[in-house]
Amino acid sequence: MGASQAVEIDAWLRQGGIVVTASERAARALASAFHRARLAEGLTAWPAPNIQDWNGFVRSAWAAHTNDGRLLLNSTQEQSLWADLAAAEGRMATLLEGPRGRLAALAMEAHELLCFHAPRFLRASARSGWQNDAATFNRWLSAFEETCRANHLLSSGRLPIELLPLLPIPAGQRERPPLLIAGFDRILPVQRALFDALGSWTEAGPSQPATEISFHEARDDQAELAACAHWCGQKLAANPQTRVLVVTQNAAAQRGQIERAFLAHSGSIPSPTFELSLGVPLGKVALPRAAHLVLRWLSGTLAEHELDWLFSTGYAAASLRESSALQGHMRALRRRGLEQAEWTLQAFIQPIARRANESPLPGEWVNRMTEARRRLDEFERRPQSPLDWAELIPQLLESLHFAVSQALSSAEFQAVRRWQQALETVASLGFDGRRIHWKEFLAVLARTLDETLYAPESRNAPIQIAGPAESAGLTADALWFLGASEDAWPARGATHPLLPPELQREARMPHATAQLDWDLAQVVSRRLLGSAPEVHFSYARQTQGVESRPSRLIVQLAAPPQPMPAELAPAPKGSPLTVLVEDFSRIPFRPGPVPGGAGVLTAQSQCPFKAFAVARLAAQRWEPAQAGLTPSQRGKLLHEVLHAVWAGPPRGIRTLAELLSLTDRQTWVASHVRRVFETRVFETGARPSLLDRMPVRYLELEQQRLTGLVIAWLDYESARIPFEVLETEAERTISLAGLTFSLRLDRLDRLNDGSVLVIDYKSGDVSPKSWELPRPDDVQLPLYAGFALGDDDLLGGLTFAKVRPGKLEFAGCVGAPSSTLFAGLKNSATLMKNALQAEQLDNWKVYIERLAKDFLSGRADVDPRDYPKTCERCGLQTLCRIQENRIALDEDESDGSGFDSAGSADE
Ligand code: SF4
């Protein structure tokens, strides 16, 4: 809707005329343009414009013309009817709630397509020849019509058709006021018939096409988005009153990416600068999601990551102190290895879990949860009406003090309102007198939350970001259309699976043919060209590594694309909001024991701040909860089994000869694995065993897996030159530069030349390259080799024992590998190429001592050895704030512009 159309609509509204728009958003946009125009005229009060969106318009017309007592179904009610009909057929696909709901949604959609595009097929006789899935839908539709007839119900899709016969104006009565129709990309036959029946109507005239049109080619989608955001910023900087419309096809999927680009590149214009038209599912909004999780937990299980998230929101606690205590409890559970895939409320609050934890659950919280659980239990004994359940929920949440720990923001208040509306919608399921169980109510509530889109009230931001369809009826001073590539525009879709394809083609239903997609895209593109005086299209030459070509349709309308102009290169990043303080002070560590063993010196080498944080601040990375055993638990089980295997008599062995003399390695290893699992996994006592937390069958499979892995490793070791295992899990205490370290060495072997081989078991992907000076990534084994052996011990080598499925090997530095480890090693073998050199050990010792001195002196710079890889494995970013540091460093290192000499965003 360009300037001429806007003038026409404004004049129409000023004269008291009625405008009907295609969408609610277009109605809001017109209303706000009308009010802006009056303000610009200097008025202080004026009559409200009469603008109605299509759905509201039809519903008010229905209310005005009939009182036949039929209940107009909302979409939840209608979907539940379709779900019941689908379930009545008893097919496998309809047994589960999820697939049944999806089928019901498809059936609703097919019904609505028929209502709008091919109403004659609503008569059962017209559908008699339908086959396969369409025949099934035909049966459901007949049953649906019958149910509606018998129970005086009306589908909202049928509303325009049912209205038509009621509309003719009786003789002698006055004509109805004329209508102006705006923002419809396509007026469907039923809509046209309805407007005709209402009297005189006219469509807002064509708008003048833009005077400035360009088509840009960007290097990739990031560059395209950055240039668009930067262009928006330039527009607003030049004139803060400017209104910009950005049209993008993938707003839902790319929401985060779009928001980041606009926050980064739209300049320093005061907030709010932009808003996206498309809301997010209410089920993804924090407050409703938290409420639903709490309710689910009262009678079911929550995954541990859901609990992590729930406690982090603070909504589940009555105060900030309680909230911290809940989060602390989760951390303590994880620290003590008590995590489990899913928690019932009962298991979470049972005394055994609480006793085993140094961070107890808040008593008041436990009491509230227990009481709410008891109250729900009473209700749950019998099915209730959806209304009863909906009334119980606010009471339960109130009794839990849900979301009272902090003042709610405006957006949260709006989310609360939408949550209440969602509850009311689900409560309306009782329209047919049904009674349902709590679980069913919660499942429908979850579906409703997922299907309800939530967008905070429009703040009338100057940059509006909308999809092509939602942009109908919107106008602006300038417009940018993103993603105009051949693959994406015209947008393509599939035909509907429940309707005969030939009917869809004949009725010109969406996506029935490629030509229809092309025609609709052409209409939308032309409409966009008339929505602003200045229009830019853009596409990315590469999207996620895949080459793209420009949309032929846009090339026809706007000429071939040109490289992105240099002036659209995003400006260099502004100064960081943080103030940098160079802190060279050091707080020395008191000489003595160091918590964390060799890991502290490895951390000191990787990043001095990491060592400081781990050993002196007791900082820990947050390990994500896992559905099964964590890698660290798997690693511990492997260590314990290998420790038991090589522990010597009575159950273990010590030498190669003993290994080779084992007659039934499978049974022997399996018995060791079983014993480790029995003591580790089935242990009882102060803390719940793994058996309480994981399914028995899963643990049996883990035993089988581990047995196979250990046998494969022993097969590998069977080929070694004779050796003797001196010690496993060998404990040593060493002193270094005044620091005391307690070490535990996985295994020490005596080789055939009398030297000692230091072995460390690893189930992950490791390499001796990590020991390379000048700044090793790992100093654990060099530390053991250099400082933990006895004075009489001659070092034969240090090696990782990589016990990984499909990758079993010793990887390290051994003095004479072909005469002490494996006979016949070729010179090209890695072990041969990496043979241990005498000076290597001396160099490591010097470096390790320096690390110890650095730690002792309090050296704690934020200085990762290999950014960003080191940081990605560290997990302490929130503490060291490396990101802010890097911004400052990057700026120092760059030429000040942050871009290449051409200054182009594109290259
Ligand atoms: S995240 Fe990086 S910079 Fe921060 S402590 Fe860890 S390694 Fe150091």
Side-chain angles (χ1 to χ4, degrees):
M1 205 176 312
S4 53
Q5 203 179 73
V7 170
E8 180 190 359
I9 292 173
D10 192 63
W12 183 276
L13 289 170
R14 291 196 72 172
Q15 288 160 17
I18 303 169
V19 173
V20 180
T21 63
S23 68
E24 203 181 328
R25 182 178 172 83
R28 277 204 313 271
L30 285 190
S32 108
F34 180 83
H35 297 311
R36 271 201 310 276
R38 302 296 78 77
L39 278 173
E41 288 165 0
L43 299 182
T44 52
W46 53 87
N50 194 343
I51 308 171
Q52 300 179 40
D53 67 273
W54 164 257
N55 286 332
F57 175 74
V58 173
R59 279 167 189 261
S60 0
W62 175 255
H65 288 88
T66 183
N67 56 358
D68 70 359
R70 276 186 291 174
L71 173 72
L72 185 57
L73 295 167
N74 62 33
S75 79
T76 304
Q77 291 168 329
E78 188 166 336
Q79 195 168 335
S80 78
L81 283 186
W82 286 107
D84 290 347
L85 294 170
E89 295 216 341
R91 294 191 183 194
M92 286 291 284
T94 60
L95 291 181
L96 293 174
E97 161 75 25
R100 192 165 62 239
R102 283 192 287 280
L103 262 182
L106 271 179
M108 251 176 91
E109 206 175 82
H111 178 228
E112 199 165 298
L113 281 170
L114 287 183
C115 291
F116 277 89
H117 292 265
R120 70 189 175 86
F121 286 93
L122 292 171
R123 273 185 291 110
S125 57
R127 306 191 299 264
S128 56
W130 288 11
Q131 292 177 350
N132 304 325
D133 288 345
T136 306
F137 172 66
N138 173 29
R139 283 199 303 280
W140 295 351
L141 180 50
S142 299
F144 179 76
E145 303 259 296
E146 183 48 40
T147 307
C148 287
R149 215 175 355 262
N151 296 288
H152 303 287
L153 306 172
L154 178 61
S155 155
S156 58
R158 295 289 296 251
L159 212 48
I161 302 168
E162 297 275 338
L163 248 178
L164 275 173
L166 307 173
L167 293 179
I169 303 166
Q173 283 201 10
R174 268 198 314 146
E175 292 284 308
R176 297 191 184 97
L179 303 172
L180 184 66
I181 310 303
F184 283 74
D185 284 330
R186 175 151 93 119
I187 299 180
L188 301 174
V190 168
Q191 292 174 320
R192 192 171 290 280
L194 190 92
F195 289 139
D196 286 342
L198 280 166
S200 120
W201 64 281
T202 173
E203 208 174 344
S207 41
Q208 284 170 356
T211 48
E212 199 183 326
I213 303 170
S214 35
F215 190 8
H216 308 295
E217 179 183 89
R219 180 192 60 223
D220 55 30
D221 43 356
Q222 299 277 353
E224 184 190 12
L225 204 48
C228 170
H230 179 55
W231 170 80
C232 291
Q234 284 179 338
K235 286 277 160 204
L236 288 187
N239 176 7
Q241 304 308 320
T242 301
R243 306 198 64 77
V244 183
L245 176 59
V246 176
V247 180
T248 174
Q249 300 184 61
N250 221 352
Q254 293 184 322
R255 192 182 183 97
Q257 208 180 338
I258 292 173
E259 284 179 343
R260 278 194 296 280
F262 275 78
L263 286 171
H265 300 299
S266 59
S268 55
I269 302 132
S271 164
T273 50
F274 67 92
E275 57 192 29
L276 284 103
S277 70
L278 197 65
V280 289
L282 196 54
K284 290 209 164 104
V285 177
L287 197 139
R289 180 175 176 224
H292 188 255
L293 284 179
V294 167
L295 294 170
R296 245 179 67 197
W297 203 23
L298 289 179
S299 63
T301 56
L302 286 191
E304 193 155 304
H305 66 86
E306 289 177 314
L307 276 183
D308 277 342
W309 179 85
L310 177 63
F311 292 154
S312 74
T313 63
Y315 294 132
S319 63
L320 292 178
R321 181 189 289 260
E322 213 174 75
S323 176
S324 313
L326 290 172
Q327 292 175 62
H329 186 78
M330 286 304 290
R331 269 197 299 279
L333 281 178
R334 207 71 63 76
R335 212 163 25 236
R336 299 181 63 112
L338 293 174
E339 65 269 48
Q340 57 188 62
E342 296 201 316
W343 286 96
T344 60
L345 177 59
Q346 196 184 5
F348 192 76
I349 62 179
Q350 67 184 335
I352 191 164
R354 290 160 67 190
R355 262 208 319 273
N357 205 293
E358 75 271 15
S359 177
L361 286 170
E364 287 287 305
W365 179 87
V366 172
N367 293 342
R368 290 199 306 273
M369 294 298 285
T370 310
E371 176 55 23
R373 165 78 218 146
R374 190 197 58 72
R375 189 149 174 226
L376 181 61
D377 263 350
E378 278 175 18
F379 264 73
E380 248 190 319
R381 286 192 195 124
R382 54 199 168 276
Q384 307 281 346
S385 80
L387 185 60
D388 289 339
W389 287 126
E391 281 177 355
L392 177 67
I393 284 177
Q395 295 169 24
L396 287 175
L397 292 177
E398 198 181 330
S399 72
L400 290 171
H401 295 187
F402 180 79
V404 300
S405 64
Q406 50 204 315
L408 296 187
S409 65
S410 157
E412 285 173 316
F413 270 118
Q414 292 173 51
V416 169
R417 272 209 300 278
R418 295 292 279 149
W419 157 261
Q420 286 162 345
Q421 286 166 4
L423 270 186
E424 284 164 19
T425 304
V426 185
S428 73
L429 269 186
F431 71 103
D432 55 1
R434 71 177 70 190
R435 290 185 169 269
I436 57 178
H437 286 283
W438 171 243
K439 291 236 159 65
E440 191 184 344
F441 182 87
L442 277 187
V444 182
L445 180 58
R447 204 176 60 223
T448 307
L449 292 177
D450 284 341
E451 287 169 1
T452 307
L453 285 184
Y454 162 79
E457 273 165 18
S458 170
R459 299 151 299 165
N460 216 5
I463 304 171
Q464 295 288 323
I465 305 171
E470 295 97 50
S471 67
L474 304 189
T475 55
D477 299 310
L479 182 149
W480 188 301
F481 183 100
L482 288 159
S485 69
E486 181 67 357
D487 297 335
W489 193 247
R492 295 189 184 96
T495 50
H496 200 286
L498 296 183
L499 295 173
E502 61 282 4
L503 159 66
Q504 297 186 55
R505 282 194 292 275
E506 184 195 318
R508 299 176 63 77
M509 289 183 186
H511 308 306
T513 64
Q515 185 60 44
L516 279 172
D517 285 342
W518 175 278
D519 292 346
L520 183 61
Q522 194 168 45
V523 169
V524 173
S525 307
R526 291 219 166 98
R527 185 247 299 156
L528 291 175
L529 279 173
S531 298
E534 177 186 345
V535 174
H536 297 259
F537 294 95
S538 66
Y539 91 103
R541 245 182 2 245
Q542 243 192 21
T543 305
Q544 293 175 345
V546 178
E547 293 290 325
S548 297
R549 284 177 304 157
S551 157
R552 276 179 300 127
L553 177 56
I554 301 303
V555 170
Q556 279 181 13
L557 295 173
Q562 300 301 314
M564 194 69 77
E567 65 268 22
L568 291 183
K573 291 192 187 89
S575 316
L577 296 177
T578 43
V579 176
L580 279 183
V581 179
E582 299 277 5
D583 183 359
F584 296 110
S585 61
R586 291 185 179 185
I587 303 170
F589 186 75
R590 193 182 310 154
V594 182
V600 174
L601 293 180
T602 288
Q604 186 76 24
S605 186
Q606 290 173 342
C607 171
F609 183 81
K610 182 178 175 187
F612 179 85
V614 171
R616 301 182 63 175
L617 304 180
Q620 289 181 339
R621 62 177 293 156
W622 187 243
E623 297 293 345
Q626 306 244 356
L629 290 171
T630 62
S632 135
Q633 284 170 330
R634 282 213 177 104
K636 274 190 192 140
L637 288 166
L638 172 70
H639 273 71
E640 289 195 27
V641 172
L642 288 169
H643 173 48
V645 162
W646 291 110
R651 294 199 176 106
I653 54 172
R654 280 282 186 200
T655 63
L656 176 68
E658 288 170 0
L659 173 61
L660 295 177
S661 67
L662 288 172
T663 48
D664 183 356
R665 219 174 264 176
Q666 166 78 35
T667 311
W668 186 75
V669 171
S671 71
H672 277 291
V673 170
R674 193 169 49 251
R675 211 167 297 116
V676 165
F677 267 70
E678 275 168 6
T679 48
R680 265 312 208 149
V681 178
F682 304 122
E683 70 187 8
T684 52
R687 57 196 227 158
S689 71
L690 276 180
L691 186 59
D692 295 329
R693 297 181 268 146
M694 286 172 199
V696 176
R697 182 65 190 133
Y698 168 74
L699 292 174
E700 284 170 2
L701 289 172
E702 280 292 337
Q703 279 190 51
Q704 284 174 17
R705 188 194 68 82
L706 188 52
T707 303
L709 186 60
V710 172
I711 289 173
W713 176 254
L714 293 182
D715 290 347
Y716 173 75
E717 287 218 65
S718 299
R720 279 180 64 182
I721 292 169
F723 63 91
E724 179 193 1
V725 176
L726 291 174
E727 269 183 280
T728 57
E729 303 288 324
E731 294 188 356
R732 299 279 188 279
T733 302
I734 61 162
S735 289
L736 248 183
L739 298 171
T740 311
F741 294 90
S742 298
L743 311 177
R744 187 189 292 258
L745 286 64
D746 282 352
R747 181 169 145 191
L748 297 174
D749 280 12
R750 172 88 64 205
L751 301 178
N752 63 340
D753 65 353
S755 64
V756 177
L757 180 67
V758 181
I759 298 174
D760 198 50
Y761 296 124
K762 292 288 179 201
S763 50
D765 191 15
V766 286
S767 159
K769 277 188 186 315
S770 61
W771 307 332
E772 279 174 9
L773 291 163
R775 196 175 168 186
D777 192 35
D778 179 11
V779 296
Q780 183 193 19
L781 273 180
L783 174 75
Y784 293 171
F787 297 93
L789 296 190
D791 291 341
D792 298 334
D793 290 328
L794 176 70
L795 179 68
L798 54 159
T799 180
F800 291 126
K802 290 170 72 173
V803 190
R804 311 184 72 206
K807 190 78 185 168
L808 300 155
E809 62 174 353
F810 281 119
C813 302
V814 179
S818 59
S819 57
T820 59
L821 205 56
F822 291 106
L825 278 176
K826 290 193 181 135
N827 284 343
S828 58
T830 317
L831 275 169
M832 294 293 282
K833 287 196 277 187
N834 284 349
L836 181 66
Q837 309 296 324
E839 70 273 15
Q840 223 173 340
L841 190 63
D842 294 338
N843 292 341
W844 277 328
K845 286 174 79 168
V846 170
Y847 179 74
I848 289 171
E849 268 183 288
R850 208 183 76 217
L851 286 178
K853 284 181 189 154
D854 282 349
F855 178 79
L856 190 69
S857 70
R859 189 183 156 203
D861 353 353
V862 175
D863 180 20
R865 68 177 284 280
D866 183 12
Y867 179 84
K869 275 194 201 151
T870 309
C871 299
E872 281 161 9
R873 288 182 278 125
C874 171
L876 296 179
Q877 290 86 338
T878 46
L879 186 62
C880 67
R881 306 181 68 169
I882 179 71
Q883 262 79 3
E884 284 100 320
N885 258 334
R886 289 305 301 189
I887 290 172
L889 283 175
D890 288 348
E891 277 175 5
D892 284 352
E893 285 163 11
S894 72
D895 60 5
S897 71
F899 290 87
D900 60 17
S901 51
S904 162
D906 193 32
E907 294 300 336

